[in-house]
Amino acid sequence: MSTEHALASILIEKLHTDTLLLPTLPEIALRVRNIADCPEVSLAAMAEVISLDPALATRVIRVANSAFLGRAIKVATLNQAVTRIGLSQIKTIATAMAMEQLFISQSSHIQSMLDKAWRDTVQVTSIAVACLSYYRMQQKQCRLSLDVMTLAALLHHIGLLPILAEAERHQDVFGHPGFLKHLMLKLSPHIGLAIMKAWGFDDTYQGVITGWQQATISAQPDYIDFVRIATIAQGGYPRPELQHKLLEHYIQQGILPDADFMQEPAIATVYQDVRSIFS
């Protein structure tokens, strides 16, 4: 059996037997999520927990000052940032901002692949949030949330992490990057779904992970659609023969202004703002 097929077989077997080592939420994200679920939590207590991670605290302040919330007056402290974002949203935002901590490896080769995966993920997230922001301006009744969109997009390809971790034990596959890319696209939705269930994330996130590679068109726009749009724009959609048809549909639905939607000023502005949060 070739190294490539051996790796695929190992991953599938471990997934089916629940023995695949799945990533865990960053400790700070877990703390924030736990305290946010406490009915007695205060804004001050939440700010104190987030302050334990200076990098996360900085990014939360950036979010509070970003186009997400559209405020002209900037906040300068973490307490002000948490107050502006609000307890109902801070759990999602803080989790999203901590996601980069998962893209770490002791192997320099794997780390270079993870660095690229993170850059691609941020690109997809920035485009998805920008396009949703544009759609929300056109359709005031839209109930889709920008902070949920952020986390959903950051998680859309989370299943690649265990694949790369397993690949580290099979160095020969690095000579076949095309195979490894194919394997990540094929197995990532199944592994990502297992991760979401292990983390206790609801159907919204599970649906994005399992649905973005498909071409199923829903009656009403969903988070899946915006991740799919972003992967098309970023060049990562695995079914290029369907891209034109999908984009035509999204334009007809009013989700996108035209085929050159990234040139739309309202989209481009938010796109740059989101990217700056992760810089």
Side-chain angles (χ1 to χ4, degrees), residues 186-249:
K186 180 180 179 181
L187 295 184
S188 179
H190 306 288
I191 297 174
L193 178 60
I195 294 171
M196 290 299 93
K197 289 180 177 179
W199 290 0
F201 281 44
D202 63 28
D203 292 346
T204 297
Y205 302 100
Q206 295 180 26
V208 168
I209 284 174
T210 58
W212 71 269
Q213 293 190 38
Q214 307 303 318
T216 304
I217 295 174
S218 56
Q220 295 295 325
D222 199 353
Y223 296 109
I224 297 172
D225 295 299
F226 291 96
V227 170
R228 189 180 294 135
I229 288 168
T231 59
I232 290 173
Q234 190 266 343
Y237 187 65
R239 307 177 70 179
E241 73 280 3
L242 297 178
Q243 290 183 174
H244 181 69
K245 180 180 178 181
L246 286 168
L247 289 178
E248 278 191 341
H249 169 75

Side-chain angles (χ1 to χ4, degrees), residues 161-206:
L161 294 180
I163 296 173
L164 289 177
E166 193 68 39
E168 188 173 350
R169 304 183 184 94
H170 299 78
Q171 297 288 322
D172 290 349
V173 300
F174 297 135
H176 307 273
F179 166 78
L180 198 52
K181 180 179 179 181
H182 169 75
L183 189 63
M184 286 190 288
L185 286 171
K186 180 180 179 181
L187 295 184
S188 179
H190 306 288
I191 297 174
L193 178 60
I195 294 171
M196 290 299 93
K197 289 180 177 179
W199 290 0
F201 281 44
D202 63 28
D203 292 346
T204 297
Y205 302 100
Q206 295 180 26

Side-chain angles (χ1 to χ4, degrees), residues 30 48 70 83 103 127 197 222 224 230 248-249 252 257:
L30 193 57
E48 184 176 353
T83 300
F103 289 71
I127 296 171
K197 289 180 177 179
D222 199 353
I224 297 172
E248 278 191 341
H249 169 75
Q252 290 173 2

Side-chain angles (χ1 to χ4, degrees), residues 28 31-32 35 44-53 56 78:
I28 186 63
R31 287 186 183 181
V32 169
I35 194 172
M46 178 61 75
E48 184 176 353
V49 170
I50 295 174
S51 70
L52 297 174
D53 188 318
L56 177 60
L78 184 57

